[in-house]
Amino acid sequence: MKVSIIGATGYGGLELLRLLHQHPHVEIASLHSFSAQTEDISRFYPHLHTVYHQALAEIDAVKIAEESEAVFLATPSGVAKDAAQPFIDAGMKVIDLSGDFRLSKEGYEKWYNKDAAPDAYLEQAEYGLAEWRTGTDATFISNPGCYATATLLGLAPLVMQYLVVEDSIIVDAKSGISGAGKTPSENTHFPETNENMTLYRMNKHQHIPEIMRQLQVWNENIDAITFSTSLIPVTRGIFATIYAKAKAGTTTEELLALYRESYDGKPFVRIQAQDVYPTLKQVTASNFCDIGLCYNERTNMITIVVVIDNLVKGAAGQAIQNLNLMAGFDETAGLDFIPVYP
Amino acid sequence: MKVSIIGATGYGGLELLRLLHQHPHVEIASLHSFSAQTEDISRFYPHLHTVYHQALAEIDAVKIAEESEAVFLATPSGVAKDAAQPFIDAGMKVIDLSGDFRLSKEGYEKWYNKDAAPDAYLEQAEYGLAEWRTGTDATFISNPGCYATATLLGLAPLVMQYLVVEDSIIVDAKSGISGAGKTPSENTHFPETNENMTLYRMNKHQHIPEIMRQLQVWNENIDAITFSTSLIPVTRGIFATIYAKAKAGTTTEELLALYRESYDGKPFVRIQAQDVYPTLKQVTASNFCDIGLCYNERTNMITIVVVIDNLVKGAAGQAIQNLNLMAGFDETAGLDFIPVYP
Amino acid sequence: MKVSIIGATGYGGLELLRLLHQHPHVEIASLHSFSAQTEDISRFYPHLHTVYHQALAEIDAVKIAEESEAVFLATPSGVAKDAAQPFIDAGMKVIDLSGDFRLSKEGYEKWYNKDAAPDAYLEQAEYGLAEWRTGTDATFISNPGCYATATLLGLAPLVMQYLVVEDSIIVDAKSGISGAGKTPSENTHFPETNENMTLYRMNKHQHIPEIMRQLQVWNENIDAITFSTSLIPVTRGIFATIYAKAKAGTTTEELLALYRESYDGKPFVRIQAQDVYPTLKQVTASNFCDIGLCYNERTNMITIVVVIDNLVKGAAGQAIQNLNLMAGFDETAGLDFIPVYP
Amino acid sequence: MKVSIIGATGYGGLELLRLLHQHPHVEIASLHSFSAQTEDISRFYPHLHTVYHQALAEIDAVKIAEESEAVFLATPSGVAKDAAQPFIDAGMKVIDLSGDFRLSKEGYEKWYNKDAAPDAYLEQAEYGLAEWRTGTDATFISNPGCYATATLLGLAPLVMQYLVVEDSIIVDAKSGISGAGKTPSENTHFPETNENMTLYRMNKHQHIPEIMRQLQVWNENIDAITFSTSLIPVTRGIFATIYAKAKAGTTTEELLALYRESYDGKPFVRIQAQDVYPTLKQVTASNFCDIGLCYNERTNMITIVVVIDNLVKGAAGQAIQNLNLMAGFDETAGLDFIPVYP
């Protein structure tokens, strides 16, 4: 299958390139960027020299639709809502990695403070939380955000089973700095970031509404969650510690059994053994989402630890997983390598 | 005032040395270590060369009591419970930085899995959470643990005023690697620690019982908390994100006002402005405890962010603050410098 | 081709596993360790769960020789000199990643302070600096050290052409901490290593004699070099800055042309454009050796910057490259992926 | 003595503030910035809250000259050449931390690509390499650059004694990222900087001419040096490894004796014991310059390792040391604390 990547010069686009390049059923037909044109992609990323060369091509929707069967948009928020339309209209497989199609019109305009895509397009988009998609016939996927992926995968079994007190859910999520993208800012300036940890956008992160929207699909009683986002001095990763109060007494064993069953047959979610919590580094550069948990009988509180790589399972990897599902490829195609460690 | 430091070769002892060296009213009479003898302290820490030289001296309690008025014990757990006794008996000012005198006999034996100090000594020890000590006539201080300091300072105003649902308290605490001390282990091995984050001892950290003990002094209705401890790849610091459900509706403004009032006249606790959260690095190498908070009216949840330097406010700095209070020095003596940044 | 890995639980062994797992012509028949037995390899490395499972097997040379065509030894120095013998005797393809077969008997005993392997075995070993091997019929390869690989690839064109003053060569080499292996020590303790840089074994590193031996093969006039080794706070990588005085005036253009020609047809050595120096990160997790250089006409000094990943081109990657050459596979087989970045 | 700081919001200015605040003979009269006005300095640096408050004041040279006896300029290059003039004219003690007064008119215009200060001012400036100043009656000091300080202190004894081959000097200098200042850029972007090392401006760094100028004062035969500058992922520090060929045979002992003698009575230069090299971290946050060295009899090469903190000995600390010398204070006044470690 031939595919095109729009937004190839950002970290998300680069990760698509890395993973698709070794995908057994995919050929990268063209790379595109709104911020650069005609230069070879290796100009931006010297590590690609001799491994992968391709000049950025003009974003000509007609031509892209002729040459490729699928298109990935890895553009900053506010770009795909317009740029994706011709590809959707052309009936291509479209996977948008930005937030542009994750919310309702009102939700988007409130949380992103920008005009939303037309309703007709918003409605066509299927939210691509790969493990919990209900069908595989969608051709237009809105790929979840990194925080949302970790949070939803961590909460799904509990929420679907109505096991936790609805207003008790707290997500304490920490992100590596690559989540801020490729553009330097004060928040990514090494002397300020190194040896530091900061909390930002408390209860205000734009991934909250997409989380809420999905939680409410699963459990209509959930009105709100508490959601904190912090930056830790690592390049990659989301480490989410999630707390929720059990409605009834339970045990760690029971909960682990539930999670194992819930994710049975889901190759990228690995439930840890009892008393074992995943480390961030054990999923770096992979599409895995590793989950450990415990129940505290004294407080009736469940703690769930979820780790993903924000650029893989939280972006490019899940996008490819979604392509695999759409295209009828093996779900793990292109994603079944041993990741780099340490 | 002449003082002695026992356990001078560890990170806590070194931090005592750094801070006491510039204390206007203190002279360091002697340094001691259970793991080394007679060598100059600069052998262990080359940065001290020409700045500070002193040979480690034998731990002769009689001699120490003759020469010094106060003694700091910065030894691993299980050492001070015996080593501190002659200094207490001699009526010296004694400040123990370990966990040996923070719990009841049963508590210590359960959580530390070692024999406890005799009750007579345990009873003499005052828990030295400096901002909340109720008197200044104690001569034997059990200095709080780093996690406990951050947690208790962050919770005190809410708990004392009975403002939060008793079983809703969650502490998500992250620590820098120096908290593990000076001895190398797999958990401190750079290739494993760098670019990583790990959660350990979920609901099992030995600082939990000392936190509970103090919380119950303030509010007898609190039975248990949820407490997670993680390691982040920084050298110094505790970053605690604390969540608790408000009993009644409130506002961020009201809560900030309460915290400002509660810590009025407490020079080392700095309450942030609304919508501002402290960064870990803004307290590095200082005795400050910076606190930011917010109230989420949709979930009724209060989030409190507390940052301290684990080796200063979480150990040596607070110990000196306690000495200042005991000795009638200005509370900030020796601790009022501008810390290094960035 | 079936292969076995001895020393699979170390970082070098793990990197062999990562790379061989995706090698198109290789199947991993068995994993072995001298420090552990029968446990599944994923016990040591949780990131392997569900991706790769194999129990460590007994080191039974007869059985290994029956099942595998090639064996990699990624053991600490002093182990392979004995352990490799039965595999060599059995006529297997043997690649030793340690220093045990890189030196003469006297050299080894002087620099490693251990008994050397018998001369008969030392003589059979071909030094596997892959780009400069003179044949491909060897079946027993002594894989170069990480510092040696970077240094020799950086110096080869100059030295072979007798272009530099023989006693002017200086290598200022910096290594990531994974070079110290998996065992924690004071030198790898995060609080000591982070935010630090240290120089160690000045002119005393055990890679010096293997470098000298090869340099003298190329140029009998070189008697000695100046060689410094430092640790920088990164997990992976060797960054070698090499200085040598030109015998006659030259230009940067001429030198770059020489290097391009020397490495023409060598897929893993990438010569940078003029005025461009490689960054360490651009080779992380890849088998590349990137080289930039310049000539200073005022001092007649040539500066060469060489970067490799110590665990790949400096160990496991080059070992696989050597296997590819031995086995008649494409030289880049299993090594031609896009590496992870950033 | 009352002093003013111009450029107080940058990292150099902040470090002046930290150190001068605890200086026993200095009072900070006013802070100024060209990029901000009237805001309190703690707005830029939250760690200063409650420790130090002062509103930035207008840069009114007359007023500053009335209120202060000395002025520090910690401004980007190109600012002080104009801004310093009224203070010099007013006869104040002036210390410029930028490169504006370190070179001749031609040198400055060539290397900084900007108009130079008028000759009359350039001539008044004394180059303030504190350990090697020849008098103490200057009132206008041009404070050396960080790379220059490390290099010159490391080379002085050898060069002054004509012990090394003049065209053999090589400086391999590595810097922490704070050397790039407070403004974010691609080179300081955490995901690019972390786990990376880069070489930049090979033989082109603007500190080269100031190094050459001073070397030639000491030894008229030195025409040029080889000088490489690299960035390592630490916040603070210069780690310079210097190589030079000895004219005649010598020994490490002899050289160490020479260095000890040369720096006898210089409190901030610490010569290490034989076979010991300083680590970067042992000088972090201090004004020390630690030096280790060795002689290689096989290559006749001397290797010198020099470490400083770029913001202290390489900027603010040396500036204060220069003030101390000018003002007749003890040379270590304000600089004799135990620095933070680890």
Side-chain angles (χ1 to χ4, degrees), chain C residues 167 172 174 191-192 194-198 202 223 226 228 235 241 243 245 280-281 298-299 303 341, chain D residues 167 172 174 191-192 194-197 202 223 226 228 235 241 243 245 279-281 298-299 303 341:
Chain C
D167 68 348
D172 189 293
K174 303 90 183 170
E192 303 290 333
N194 181 39
E195 295 289 277
N196 204 355
M197 174 168 181
T198 57
M202 181 70 214
D223 264 348
T226 299
S228 77
T235 298
T241 316
Y243 305 92
K245 196 166 277 282
L280 188 61
K281 203 163 181 161
R298 300 205 54 197
T299 56
T303 303
Y341 188 95
Chain D
D167 68 349
D172 189 294
K174 303 90 180 171
E192 303 290 334
N194 181 39
E195 295 289 277
N196 203 356
M197 175 169 179
M202 181 70 214
D223 264 348
T226 298
S228 78
T235 297
T241 317
Y243 304 92
K245 196 166 277 281
T279 68
L280 188 60
K281 203 163 181 162
R298 300 206 51 196
T299 57
T303 302
Y341 188 95

Side-chain angles (χ1 to χ4, degrees), chain A residues 45-221:
Chain A
Y45 292 108
H47 71 288
L48 295 178
H49 272 296
T50 78
V51 187
Y52 188 85
H53 286 280
Q54 176 134 257
L56 295 172
E58 201 188 343
I59 304 178
D60 175 336
V62 175
K63 203 168 161 211
I64 291 171
E66 278 170 13
E67 289 178 359
S68 289
E69 200 174 328
V71 64
F72 293 89
L73 292 109
T75 46
S77 65
V79 173
K81 68 189 162 74
D82 300 318
Q85 296 182 15
F87 306 115
I88 301 166
D89 293 345
M92 295 180 71
K93 292 181 175 59
V94 177
I95 301 176
D96 176 32
L97 282 76
S98 83
D100 281 14
F101 296 95
R102 294 180 194 150
L103 304 182
S104 68
K105 191 179 184 68
E106 303 70 42
Y108 186 81
E109 295 183 347
K110 174 180 168 197
W111 286 86
Y112 285 84
N113 204 22
K114 288 174 182 153
D115 287 343
D119 276 336
Y121 291 97
L122 289 176
E123 282 158 17
Q124 285 182 63
E126 177 172 324
Y127 188 65
L129 186 69
E131 278 71 17
W132 294 103
R133 286 175 58 190
T134 48
T136 56
D137 54 352
T139 58
F140 174 28
I141 293 285
S142 175
N143 210 57
C146 50
Y147 282 122
T149 298
T151 301
L152 291 169
L153 292 177
L155 280 170
L158 292 181
V159 164
M160 287 177 175
Q161 304 291 327
Y162 295 79
L163 294 177
V164 294
V165 177
E166 278 77 11
D167 68 348
S168 75
I169 298 171
I170 294 168
V171 180
D172 189 292
K174 304 89 181 170
S175 172
I177 313 296
S178 66
K182 200 167 184 282
T183 305
S185 74
E186 201 179 316
N187 291 330
T188 68
H189 190 50
F190 187 89
E192 304 289 334
T193 306
N194 182 39
E195 296 288 275
N196 203 355
M197 174 168 181
T198 57
L199 185 145
Y200 68 110
R201 294 197 218 165
M202 181 70 215
N203 292 324
K204 292 179 183 167
H205 197 281
Q206 71 275 11
H207 288 179
I208 295 174
E210 73 176 273
I211 292 168
M212 284 311 304
R213 201 184 192 200
Q214 185 62 38
L215 289 179
Q216 287 169 347
V217 169
W218 293 335
N219 180 329
E220 65 286 1
N221 301 330

Side-chain angles (χ1 to χ4, degrees), chain A residues 167-168 170-172 174 190-192 194-199 202-204 223-226 228 230 232-236 239 241 243 245 275 277-281 284 294 296 298-299 301 303 305 341-342, chain B residues 167-168 170-172 174 190-192 194-199 202-204 223-226 228 230 232-236 239 241 243 245 275 277-281 284 294 296 298-299 301 303 305 341-342:
Chain A
D167 68 348
S168 75
I170 294 168
V171 180
D172 189 292
K174 304 89 181 170
F190 187 89
E192 304 289 334
N194 182 39
E195 296 288 275
N196 203 355
M197 174 168 181
T198 57
L199 185 145
M202 181 70 215
N203 292 324
K204 292 179 183 167
D223 263 348
I225 59 171
T226 299
S228 77
S230 300
I232 55 173
V234 303
T235 296
R236 286 169 173 249
F239 190 107
T241 317
Y243 304 91
K245 196 165 278 280
D275 289 328
Y277 298 94
T279 69
L280 188 60
K281 203 162 181 162
T284 298
C294 75
N296 182 340
R298 301 206 52 197
T299 56
M301 196 71 75
T303 303
V305 177
Y341 188 96
Chain B
D167 68 349
S168 75
I170 294 168
V171 181
D172 189 293
K174 304 90 181 171
F190 187 90
E192 304 290 333
N194 182 39
E195 296 288 277
N196 204 355
M197 175 167 180
T198 58
L199 186 143
M202 182 69 213
N203 292 324
K204 292 179 184 166
D223 263 348
I225 59 172
T226 298
S228 78
S230 300
I232 53 173
V234 303
T235 298
R236 286 169 174 248
F239 189 107
T241 316
Y243 304 92
K245 197 166 277 279
D275 289 327
Y277 299 92
T279 68
L280 188 61
K281 203 163 181 162
T284 299
C294 76
N296 183 340
R298 300 205 53 196
T299 56
M301 197 71 76
T303 303
V305 177
Y341 188 96

